[in-house]
Amino acid sequence: MWESETESVGGRDYGNGVLTTSKHGLKTDGFEQRGQSWFVATDIPSDFLVQIGDVSFHLHKYPLLSRSGKMNRVIYESRDAELSKISLDDLPGGPEAFELATKFCYGIAVDLTATNISGLRCAAEYLEMTEDLEEGNLIFKTEAFLSYVVLSSWRDSILVLKSCQKLSPWAENLQIVRRCSESIAWKACANPKGIRWQYTGRQPKISSPKWSEMKDSSPSRNQQVPPDWWFEDVSILRIDHFVRVITAIKVKGMRFELIGASIMHYAAKWLPGFTKEGAAIPDEGSNSSNCNGSGSSWKGGLHMIVAGNKDDPQPAQAKDQRMIIESLISIIPPQKDSVSCSFLLRLLRMANMLKVAPALVTELEKRVGMQFEQATLADLLIPSYTTSDTLHDIDLVQRLLEHFLIQEQMEISSSPSRQPYSEKHMYDVAQRGNNSNAKMRVARLVDSYLTEVSRDRNLSLTKFQVLAEALPESARTCDDGLYRAIDSYLKAHPTLSEHERKRLCRVMDCQKLSIDACMHAAQNERLPLRIVVQVLFSEQVKISNAIANTSLKEAGESQYQPMVSNRKTLLEGTPQSFQEGWAAAKKDINTLKFELESVKAKYLELQNDMESMQRQFDKVAKPKQASAWTSGWKKLGKMTKMTNLENHDIGSQIPNAEQTRKTPRRWRNSIS
């Protein structure tokens, strides 16, 4: 509440909120209700019947004609002096407002409150109860109460604005909605020292509270009022009036974080299924009724299913939900962190399900792209509500990622260019660091998303590949997440051809895999053989580099630290996962090396056999015509070989002393 708010309004001509009139056209003790009919408690029989819906009022012409211009016009324009019945079904405020207006015409005291003032003000305007007929007529009285009592009170402004939900378009035309919205906005943005706690948490008291009761229900002067004290009160309004209040609060200069928080609070209140999966049942309370102008479809809560069911909700419910979502999208502050990315994604999920206007959906997707690094996997798993065969909306995530990359590029291009070199350099370094961290978070998120959706058998290889390659290579320092997604896709799609498997694995960089991923890939039968070889080769290169770097480090630090073995130093300088898998990895590598050497030896042996067989085949296929001289020389050559073999055998049996003798001359020497 506000300090200016009081339960009584002393010193004004409508005396403590009770309307009276000094001129009584007819002496009466009041009204009596009999079923659906109202009668004036007087001895004079009624001569005029007013029908409003199912309720009938048995009245007298003179009190109405003296204060209502519409009654004068209706009776005199009808040209029927004996007119005794009229129907006013379109009267704003209904039978309740007409009852109060009629009592005022009869001079009966009328108690003005925040709950009936808007209907009475609209009814007075409808009945044309102006100052031309009588000074101090009902329009003047109700307008004064609105201006001096309602608009100075936080609680009354909320109640009047809520009561205007049934009075469209009269409340709009009479500026009641605008004035109450601006009053609420001004109080929400003002210094909250004079505010008591919001009224929605307790029942309003009929009489003025005592000081002791006010002391218990209001914060002390030293107690700080939370900045979101007005959220709950404003959230009871219908969506169109909530938009009016938030728009007025923006004009007053409220911080965008608070505006965004109030929007999220409103969505959580009116869209219960917005916060968790499954069917939502609205809370039963004072805020769950009279929220629609027609009073037919709006039940104070929204029944909806966010996921798990593609059946459309009931048409009336879907219309109300769509109106709320479109309105909330239109009033979200443009600043980046005004609302959370999780909130935007849940709103986007509902917008796609309810087929919200495409322009608003595109705007919402751009907003998600601005904060895409803050998203979580659960928020990204949005079902596909289109004719797509896939379970999840892959195209939507692709668009969100494109918006993120475009926004990042715009931030880089908009960096300051006229600053001094040192300041500009520091800004560029910080900006690149932030962008790099955001990219890495998005890369991890996309890899997790690909792992999750890869289990869908209807997911095409092209969609998987396009989404995996959408991020630049610098975004991933490690491709373990991408390898996990590829392996999951291969497991869910066992019928892929060898070419398709190679194409799928091409999105992964084998040099960015950790030791654990390499060990898994080396034993993965689903991967193409070429990828396995690349993984082993890259791991061998990394191990060699690690050993070389460790050796250089030991050589450089030998004067400060004692010498230790290369293997121990390497293990101490590597991660725990590398240390645990060192023995197994080394054993696998040695085994593969041995098998490779065996294959090479078998290949050389087979090659020699093939060459020998080829030579024999050439001899058999093409015999040469040798001359007698040539054949003679061949015979001599054979005899020489035989002689040498015999001499070698004999020499091996003769003692060492006898072996020193000279061998016989060769036949060629003797012949020559």
Side-chain angles (χ1 to χ4, degrees):
M1 304 286 188
W2 290 77
E3 291 176 346
S4 60
E5 179 180 356
T6 56
E7 296 293 334
S8 63
V9 187
R12 296 195 177 102
D13 57 352
Y14 35 81
N16 295 338
V18 178
L19 281 183
T20 59
T21 178
S22 57
K23 298 180 181 180
H24 301 281
L26 188 65
K27 186 176 181 180
T28 177
D29 295 331
F31 278 42
E32 296 177 357
Q33 185 177 12
R34 303 170 191 171
Q36 294 293 326
S37 301
W38 286 90
F39 296 88
V40 182
T42 180
D43 296 335
I44 303 175
S46 61
D47 58 355
F48 195 63
L49 176 64
V50 179
Q51 189 75 27
I52 302 177
D54 297 334
V55 182
S56 58
F57 293 85
H58 299 269
L59 308 172
H60 302 83
K61 288 184 180 179
Y62 175 72
L64 299 179
L65 294 176
S66 63
R67 291 179 174 85
S68 173
K70 184 176 181 62
M71 292 295 184
N72 279 278
R73 192 173 65 255
V74 169
I75 292 175
Y76 289 116
E77 288 180 356
S78 65
R79 297 180 182 179
D80 185 5
E82 302 299 328
L83 181 65
S84 61
K85 181 180 178 180
I86 63 172
S87 177
L88 302 176
D89 292 333
D90 56 345
L91 184 139
E96 296 83 5
F98 185 75
E99 176 195 349
L100 297 177
T102 304
K103 287 182 178 180
F104 176 78
C105 293
Y106 277 89
I108 301 174
V110 177
D111 187 12
L112 296 181
T113 63
T115 55
N116 64 22
I117 186 62
S118 58
L120 190 56
R121 173 67 181 89
C122 295
E125 189 71 22
Y126 176 87
L127 295 173
E128 302 174 13
M129 303 176 71
T130 62
E131 296 296 294
D132 296 336
L133 297 175
E134 183 178 348
E135 185 178 355
N137 210 344
L138 188 57
I139 290 179
F140 174 80
K141 298 286 188 179
T142 53
E143 189 66 31
F145 187 83
L146 277 171
S147 301
Y148 293 104
V149 179
V150 171
L151 298 182
S152 63
S153 167
W154 168 265
R155 172 180 174 273
D156 291 345
S157 298
I158 294 286
L159 290 177
V160 169
L161 189 55
K162 185 173 176 58
S163 66
C164 290
Q165 295 170 171
K166 300 179 182 180
L167 301 172
S168 298
W170 288 89
E172 289 283 352
N173 296 335
L174 296 175
Q175 304 297 320
I176 299 177
V177 173
R178 180 189 62 80
R179 288 184 290 172
C180 288
S181 300
E182 292 182 354
S183 174
I184 294 170
W186 181 84
K187 293 176 176 61
C189 299
N191 190 345
K193 289 184 178 180
I195 301 172
R196 292 188 236 156
W197 295 112
Q198 57 268 32
Y199 81 94
T200 51
R202 59 182 176 85
Q203 293 295 331
K205 297 183 181 296
I206 299 176
S207 59
S208 298
K210 298 180 181 180
W211 171 250
S212 59
E213 296 174 351
M214 292 177 60
K215 187 175 181 180
D216 294 336
S217 62
S218 61
S220 62
R221 294 187 178 183
N222 296 329
Q223 184 178 358
Q224 186 177 3
V225 178
D228 60 348
W229 65 269
W230 52 276
F231 286 6
E232 185 64 26
D233 289 350
V234 173
S235 66
I236 72 170
L237 300 173
R238 199 175 62 184
I239 183 61
D240 53 342
H241 294 158
F242 176 77
V243 170
R244 294 287 295 270
V245 171
I246 294 299
T247 304
I249 287 177
K250 284 183 180 180
V251 175
K252 301 294 181 184
M254 175 73 75
R255 290 181 302 169
F256 66 87
E257 298 95 342
L258 285 177
I259 296 177
S262 67
I263 294 173
M264 291 190 289
H265 183 86
Y266 188 90
K269 186 178 183 66
W270 289 108
L271 305 173
F274 188 80
T275 56
K276 58 183 178 180
E277 303 292 336
I281 300 176
D283 297 333
E284 297 292 338
S286 59
N287 302 335
S288 62
S289 61
N290 298 331
C291 293
N292 192 8
S294 60
S296 58
S297 63
W298 197 288
K299 302 300 181 183
L302 297 177
H303 303 267
M304 69 168 302
I305 297 176
V306 175
N309 188 0
K310 294 187 178 181
D311 295 335
D312 291 333
Q314 296 297 327
Q317 294 175 349
K319 182 179 179 181
D320 294 336
Q321 295 166 16
R322 190 183 305 113
M323 180 179 63
I324 288 181
I325 293 173
E326 291 178 348
S327 301
L328 293 181
I329 294 174
S330 63
I331 61 174
I332 294 177
Q335 288 79 3
K336 180 178 180 180
D337 294 322
S338 57
V339 293
S340 66
C341 185
S342 178
F343 171 81
L344 293 173
L345 284 169
R346 292 198 300 270
L347 204 62
L348 183 59
R349 177 200 299 253
M350 295 176 62
N352 287 333
M353 183 182 68
L354 297 173
K355 296 179 175 56
V356 171
L360 291 175
V361 173
T362 302
E363 182 65 25
L364 192 57
E365 291 177 358
K366 292 180 180 179
R367 293 298 308 271
V368 175
M370 293 171 59
Q371 304 170 227
F372 196 53
E373 70 276 7
Q374 304 171 7
T376 61
L377 177 60
D379 295 327
L380 278 185
L381 295 176
I382 300 175
S384 178
Y385 297 106
T386 60
T387 57
S388 176
D389 295 333
T390 57
L391 180 63
H392 298 93
D393 199 340
I394 312 296
D395 297 332
L396 173 61
V397 177
Q398 177 71 27
R399 293 195 301 270
L400 297 178
L401 187 57
E402 292 175 357
H403 288 308
F404 167 76
L405 296 175
I406 293 173
Q407 183 66 29
E408 184 193 45
Q409 189 64 32
M410 291 175 59
E411 291 179 357
I412 295 176
S413 61
S414 62
S415 59
S417 58
R418 295 185 178 181
Q419 293 182 356
Y421 175 77
S422 59
E423 295 181 4
K424 180 181 178 182
H425 179 70
M426 293 175 62
Y427 178 86
D428 292 342
V429 171
Q431 189 72 15
R432 284 196 298 269
N434 294 334
N435 293 337
S436 177
N437 293 333
K439 278 185 179 179
M440 288 189 290
R441 288 194 294 270
V442 170
R444 290 193 294 268
L445 177 64
V446 171
D447 293 344
S448 301
Y449 180 79
L450 287 172
T451 304
E452 188 68 25
V453 301
S454 62
R455 302 183 180 95
D456 187 0
R457 295 182 180 272
N458 294 325
L459 178 61
S460 65
L461 177 60
T462 302
K463 283 190 175 183
F464 184 95
Q465 186 177 8
V466 169
L467 185 57
E469 294 178 343
L471 284 168
E473 294 183 0
S474 59
R476 293 184 178 93
T477 57
C478 179
D479 277 8
D480 285 8
L482 196 56
Y483 167 70
R484 191 181 303 109
I486 292 173
D487 184 55
S488 178
Y489 189 88
L490 290 174
K491 188 183 301 183
H493 301 77
T495 59
L496 290 178
S497 64
E498 185 71 14
H499 173 72
E500 290 174 335
R501 288 190 297 162
K502 289 181 180 180
R503 174 185 163 193
L504 175 65
C505 296
R506 202 174 294 133
V507 303
M508 175 183 61
D509 188 356
C510 297
Q511 297 181 0
K512 292 184 179 181
L513 296 179
S514 65
I515 181 64
D516 296 330
C518 289
M519 291 173 60
H520 187 277
Q523 304 173 8
N524 194 345
E525 298 179 355
R526 290 182 290 271
L527 294 178
L529 181 60
R530 181 177 181 181
I531 300 300
V532 176
V533 174
Q534 290 180 0
V535 169
L536 294 174
F537 177 76
S538 63
E539 189 58 31
Q540 185 177 5
V541 170
K542 286 191 287 187
I543 293 175
S544 301
N545 293 337
I547 295 175
N549 293 335
T550 304
S551 301
L552 293 175
K553 184 177 180 181
E554 289 177 351
E557 297 179 355
S558 59
Q559 54 182 342
Y560 303 105
Q561 299 178 356
M563 291 295 293
V564 293
S565 63
N566 291 341
R567 184 174 181 273
K568 182 179 180 181
T569 305
L570 177 61
L571 291 176
E572 292 178 352
T574 53
Q576 184 66 24
S577 61
F578 187 87
Q579 297 180 22
E580 294 175 355
W582 172 266
K586 186 175 180 180
K587 182 179 178 180
D588 293 340
I589 293 173
N590 291 334
T591 302
L592 291 172
K593 286 183 178 179
F594 177 76
E595 292 178 355
L596 184 62
E597 293 296 333
S598 300
V599 171
K600 287 183 179 180
K602 290 182 181 180
Y603 175 75
L604 292 175
E605 183 179 354
L606 292 173
Q607 189 176 11
N608 292 334
D609 293 343
M610 182 178 177
E611 291 177 355
S612 177
M613 293 176 64
Q614 184 69 30
R615 287 195 298 270
Q616 293 178 5
F617 177 78
D618 293 340
K619 291 179 182 180
V620 174
K622 298 180 180 181
K624 296 181 180 180
Q625 300 294 332
S627 61
W629 181 260
T630 304
S631 60
W633 278 106
K634 286 184 178 181
K635 292 180 179 179
L636 289 175
K638 291 181 179 179
M639 294 175 63
T640 303
K641 290 182 179 180
M642 293 175 62
T643 305
N644 291 335
L645 290 173
E646 292 175 355
N647 293 335
H648 179 73
D649 296 336
I650 295 172
S652 62
Q653 300 175 1
I654 299 176
N656 295 334
E658 295 180 357
Q659 290 181 6
T660 58
R661 297 178 181 178
K662 294 182 179 179
T663 59
R665 294 182 179 180
R666 296 184 178 181
W667 286 99
R668 200 172 78 180
N669 294 337
S670 62
I671 292 175
S672 59

